[in-house]
Amino acid sequence: MMNTLAIALMTLTITGHQTDTPRGLLVIERASVKPIRSIQVPARQAGPISEIFVEENQLVVEGALLAKLDDAETLIRKLAAEGELNAARAQAEEDVEVATAKAAHGVARAEVDDSIRVNALAPGAIAGTELRRQELTEQRAGAQVKVEEVNFAVAKLTVSIREQQLALVNHELAERQIKAPWAGLIEKVIGEEGAWVQPGDPVVNVVQMDRLRVDAFVKADDVAPYELIGKTAEITISLPNGRKEKVIGKVDYASQVEVSSKDFHIWIEFDNVRVPLPESTKDSAVYFLYRPGMAAKVEIRMDDSQF
């Protein structure tokens, strides 16, 4: 008797979950509204939160600055890095030392050549020791040219190194800024100004609210996932006080993997509706008619007709 009752109850539950009507509708009685995207935006560096720029229920655009960690020390290191880069560029812009060394080498070479010509005209006029001294001076001047050329090349490399060091400091400054990864609504400010955070600690929760989706499960025995993609769906969403509103969407996703109950997952995206607020409400506050967590009923047209 108990087994018979259990089977009967299970049959009623499955029938209430999804029905297929003579009108060519696939009816899913129980579905739920969920956000398409929701994220707890984390800190990427360790340190105290110096400022929070947003409030709950405020809309933000992609890349909006949500909060900032203390960056006083990093700014000082940036100034130092900029100074070192400017100094390196000044050394690398002009090869004055190379030109001077080449000129000195030219003078030394000319002095040796003159002494050789003098001795050719008047042998012994320039003592051998003097000529060897001049030749040594010329060799040293030639070596100094190579030294200055190496120094100039190192100066150019130093500019590149200083540029990378400055880029690293700028990257750290950017990492201390907490920005919105995409446009959405500030659902909750988790962090507090002055509070110390570690990398990965959530600071602000951002939820996409202008567009939501309805999640539902379909019996795999009744329809294949590919048959639902692009089908028109009418979604009836349950609001407070027993009210219901209908929206139209299309099936955007159908899983090809069945769950243990032989159902597969689908979702249908739809546009949300902003609710007008009294003038006394904060200018930054925004509210929407449909919210994640609301119950919904889904009717899908299997014959490609419109609602």
Side-chain angles (χ1 to χ4, degrees):
M1 179 66 178
M2 290 298 293
N3 289 339
T4 303
L5 180 59
I7 293 172
L9 288 173
M10 185 180 297
T11 303
L12 287 172
T13 301
I14 294 174
T15 303
H17 172 69
Q18 172 186 324
T19 59
D20 198 357
T21 72
R23 295 184 299 153
L25 289 179
L26 180 66
V27 180
I28 305 170
E29 296 288 349
R30 294 192 300 275
S32 60
V33 178
K34 292 188 177 181
I36 296 174
R37 293 187 293 186
S38 176
I39 185 174
Q40 290 185 334
V41 186
R44 290 184 170 86
Q45 297 280 336
I49 299 174
S50 62
E51 194 168 359
I52 294 175
F53 301 98
V54 293
E55 298 177 337
E56 280 86 357
N57 295 317
Q58 175 183 340
L59 281 179
V60 294
V61 298
E62 180 179 348
L65 185 60
L66 307 178
K68 184 177 73 171
L69 304 186
D70 181 75
D71 57 4
E73 180 182 343
T74 312
L75 286 172
I76 293 173
R77 289 195 287 110
K78 179 181 179 179
L79 290 175
E82 288 174 339
E84 291 174 350
L85 175 58
N86 290 334
R89 283 174 174 168
Q91 290 180 341
E93 283 177 358
E94 300 291 341
D95 56 349
V96 176
E97 298 299 330
V98 175
T100 302
K102 286 182 177 180
H105 180 236
V107 171
R109 180 70 258 177
E111 189 175 9
V112 170
D113 292 341
D114 288 345
S115 295
I116 292 174
R117 283 194 294 270
V118 168
N119 276 348
L121 296 174
I126 304 296
T129 54
E130 175 62 18
L131 182 58
R132 286 192 292 275
R133 184 193 64 77
Q134 292 176 356
E135 290 174 338
L136 178 60
T137 300
E138 186 270 335
Q139 291 172 1
R140 286 177 174 173
Q144 188 62 35
V145 171
K146 294 182 179 180
V147 169
E148 296 302 335
E149 287 176 340
V150 170
N151 288 341
F152 187 60
V154 170
K156 289 184 176 181
L157 290 175
T158 301
V159 170
S160 178
I161 293 171
R162 296 290 182 253
E163 287 174 342
Q164 295 302 316
Q165 289 174 339
L166 179 58
L168 187 62
V169 175
N170 284 330
H171 175 72
E172 184 176 333
L173 277 174
E175 290 286 282
R176 302 189 79 78
Q177 295 182 344
I178 300 168
K179 295 184 177 182
W182 26 260
L185 184 80
I186 304 301
E187 190 272 330
K188 185 177 182 180
V189 177
I190 303 169
E192 296 181 359
E193 291 185 359
W196 186 278
V197 292
Q198 295 291 341
D201 287 349
V203 178
V204 177
N205 190 29
V206 180
V207 180
Q208 182 181 357
M209 288 291 290
D210 61 335
R211 190 167 174 81
L212 300 172
R213 78 185 191 200
V214 168
D215 276 25
F217 288 90
V218 177
K219 290 182 64 62
D221 292 339
D222 294 340
V223 64
Y226 65 85
E227 294 180 285
L228 293 176
I229 296 298
K231 297 294 185 183
T232 301
E234 183 181 68
I235 306 164
T236 303
I237 301 175
S238 298
L239 301 177
N241 300 320
R243 294 181 297 133
K244 295 183 183 296
E245 291 285 344
K246 295 181 183 294
V247 295
I248 302 297
K250 290 186 180 295
V251 179
D252 298 283
Y253 168 81
S255 173
Q256 300 187 64
V257 179
E258 298 176 10
V259 296
S260 58
S261 60
K262 297 299 181 182
D263 294 350
F264 61 88
H265 181 208
I266 69 168
W267 73 58
I268 305 153
E269 296 184 9
F270 65 94
D271 291 328
N272 207 343
V273 179
R274 286 181 63 167
V275 178
L277 297 176
E279 294 183 0
S280 59
T281 309
K282 286 184 178 180
D283 292 339
S284 61
V286 175
Y287 283 82
F288 289 88
L289 181 61
Y290 308 118
R291 306 187 308 276
M294 285 182 166
K297 174 183 175 181
V298 178
E299 294 179 300
I300 301 174
R301 286 283 190 187
M302 299 304 296
D303 56 3
D304 293 328
S305 61
Q306 301 298 316
F307 284 96

